[in-house]
Amino acid sequence: GDSVTQMEGPVTLSEEAFLTINCTYTATGYPSLFWYVQYPGEGLQLLLKATKADDKGSNKGFEATYRKETTSFHLEKGSVQVSDSAVYFCALWKNRDDKIIFGKGTRLHILP
Amino acid sequence: DARVTQTPRHKVTEMGQEVTMRCQPILGHNTVFWYRQTMMQGLELLAYFRNRAPLDDSGMPKDRFSAEMPDATLATLKIQPSEPRDSAVYFCASGFDRGNQPQHFGDGTRLSIL
C-alpha cells in the first residue's frame, strides 16, 4: 500500500544551520505531496505542497521539490531559527482519495 | 481565518468513565477526520466522514470508541469505557473531498485516563 517514510528524529541543529529532513514515498499513480508542521500544543498546519513532478513548494524559507525519479520530497531550509523548532510531517494525497497518508514525523530542535 | 474548534482542550478522568470529545469543522468543509497522536504510535487515523456519512472507521477500537456527526457543524468522538491506554492527544481535521486542498487541524484534546 501507499506509505511515507521520513527520517527519524530528533534532529538538533544550531541556529542559522542548514536543514534537510528526508522524505520518500511509495504510491501508485501521481500523488500530491505535502509538508505539515506541528508547533508545541497545536495541531498540524500545512507548510508547503507540490502537486506534480518537478514542482517546488516553498513557504517561510522552507523548500521541497517533488522528485518522481527518486520518489522523494526532502524538506530544506538554508538558515534555521529557534522558532522553527517543531515536529515536521511529510504526507501524500492521491486524487479521488479523501485520506492523507502521513509519515511518522521528525522532531526538530534548534539551539540558540 | 476560519478554524477547526475542538472541545475540551484538556480532559482528565478516571478509568471506566465515558469521554466525549467534540469538533466544529470549518463551515463548508465536507470531510471530517479524527486522529490520535501518541509518542509511541505517532499520528493514527481513527475515522473519517464525508458529507456526514462515516466512510472508514477501521482505525478505531470498535468495542469502546464511536464517532458520529449529528449535523454538519458537529462531530463527536466517544470512548466508553475509557482505559489508561486511551491517553493521547485527539485531533479533528476538516477539508474538501475534491482537489488537493489540505486538511485543517484543530488544536486537539489532550486526554489523560487515570
Side-chain angles (χ1 to χ4, degrees):
Chain A
D2 301 334
S3 65
V4 174
T5 303
Q6 55 183 111
M7 61 191 293
E8 291 195 22
V11 173
T12 302
L13 296 172
S14 297
E15 203 166 23
E16 299 183 2
F18 183 86
L19 168 71
T20 300
I21 300 178
N22 290 336
C23 171
T24 57
Y25 68 91
T26 301
T28 57
Y30 302 93
S32 295
L33 301 175
F34 305 90
W35 277 101
Y36 280 76
V37 59
Q38 183 182 27
Y39 298 104
E42 298 182 9
L44 282 68
Q45 55 186 274
L46 181 69
L47 180 61
L48 53 85
K49 69 178 182 181
T51 59
K52 60 184 187 297
D54 299 326
D55 265 4
K56 178 185 283 187
S58 61
N59 187 23
K60 299 182 181 180
F62 291 88
E63 293 182 339
T65 301
Y66 189 162
R67 302 285 188 200
K68 191 160 180 64
E69 63 276 14
T70 54
T71 62
S72 65
F73 193 54
H74 304 322
L75 183 67
E76 297 182 336
K77 186 175 185 183
S79 176
V80 293
Q81 306 300 312
V82 173
S83 57
D84 294 326
S85 298
V87 181
Y88 292 81
F89 292 87
C90 186
L92 71 82
W93 176 87
K94 293 201 309 186
N95 199 17
R96 299 189 182 88
D97 266 355
D98 294 314
K99 293 186 289 187
I100 290 180
I101 297 172
F102 287 93
K104 292 188 178 297
T106 302
R107 185 174 297 276
L108 175 65
H109 293 293
I110 305 300
L111 303 175
Chain B
D1 281 344
R3 296 175 60 87
V4 174
T5 303
Q6 290 186 246
T7 56
R9 288 297 314 278
H10 303 274
K11 176 75 174 179
V12 181
T13 193
E14 293 188 345
M15 182 175 64
Q17 297 297 306
E18 178 177 297
V19 174
T20 299
M21 291 169 274
R22 294 178 174 81
C23 168
Q24 182 177 1
I26 291 174
L27 190 65
H29 283 181
N30 66 340
T31 56
V32 174
F33 303 81
W34 282 105
Y35 293 90
R36 176 171 62 186
Q37 186 177 39
T38 61
M39 290 292 290
M40 293 300 293
Q41 299 298 327
L43 194 65
E44 302 173 277
L45 177 65
L46 297 176
Y48 75 96
F49 297 79
R50 185 199 300 154
N51 297 325
R52 295 177 53 203
L55 287 192
D56 185 352
D57 62 359
S58 59
M60 213 162 61
K62 304 288 191 305
D63 56 337
R64 299 184 300 107
F65 284 60
S66 61
E68 296 179 346
M69 276 201 76
D71 62 62
T73 64
L74 177 64
T76 61
L77 180 66
K78 291 186 180 180
I79 309 175
Q80 170 61 24
S82 57
E83 297 180 2
R85 59 179 167 154
D86 301 329
S87 298
V89 182
Y90 291 81
F91 288 103
C92 174
S94 69
F96 295 107
D97 67 346
R98 58 185 181 277
N100 56 3
Q101 299 302 308
Q103 293 177 14
H104 294 256
F105 281 72
D107 286 336
T109 294
R110 183 173 296 274
L111 178 63
S112 296
I113 308 297
L114 305 177

